[in-house]
Amino acid sequence: MNLKFIRRDIFTFVKIISTVLITSAIGLESWNIYAVITNSNVPSILNPIFWIERFAMTAHFIEGIIAGFYAPSRKKMPIKYAAYTFFVGTIGLLELFDQQDDS
């Protein structure tokens, strides 16, 4: 097998998993905020998961900002590519900077 095809398959798999996990993290954080507003209790066993998802969402948010900043120089729409990178993570940045090398 060609390394380029393996890389493409792995990237596709990671993008799907990342999108699902970030969407789940948004849902989890929404549930946590709702629980705080309504004075409900969230199971304490979920506290480590909340910290992990907050770290992941912060990292993806920073990657989205970077992608939005560099997208115009790669002839991409900043908001659209920032949102895409927020959901897929580092792979979005790799794709953005890899396009410059292909040109």
Side-chain angles (χ1 to χ4, degrees), residues 4 8-9 14 19 25 27-30 32 39 47 49 55 58 61-62 74 78-80 82 85 93 97 99 101-102:
K4 195 170 198 171
R8 187 189 72 206
D9 291 343
V14 171
T19 302
L28 250 163
E29 194 60 38
S30 299
N32 191 32
N39 293 324
N47 283 340
I49 294 173
F55 175 77
T58 302
F61 183 72
I62 292 168
R74 307 301 197 266
I79 299 294
K80 185 178 176 181
T85 303
L93 286 176
F97 292 120
Q99 287 177 355
D101 297 337
D102 292 343

Side-chain angles (χ1 to χ4, degrees), residues 51-85:
W51 284 106
I52 292 168
E53 64 92 359
R54 287 175 186 142
F55 175 77
M57 285 189 32
T58 302
H60 280 240
F61 183 72
I62 292 168
E63 290 170 340
I65 291 172
I66 293 168
F69 182 75
Y70 283 105
S73 67
R74 307 301 197 266
K75 296 180 178 38
K76 298 281 185 185
M77 292 181 60
I79 299 294
K80 185 178 176 181
Y81 212 83
Y84 170 74
T85 303

Side-chain angles (χ1 to χ4, degrees), residues 6-16 91 94-95:
I6 294 171
R7 180 180 172 195
R8 187 189 72 206
D9 291 343
I10 290 173
F11 275 18
T12 302
F13 178 72
V14 171
K15 286 193 278 189
I16 291 169
I91 291 179
L94 291 174
E95 290 174 347

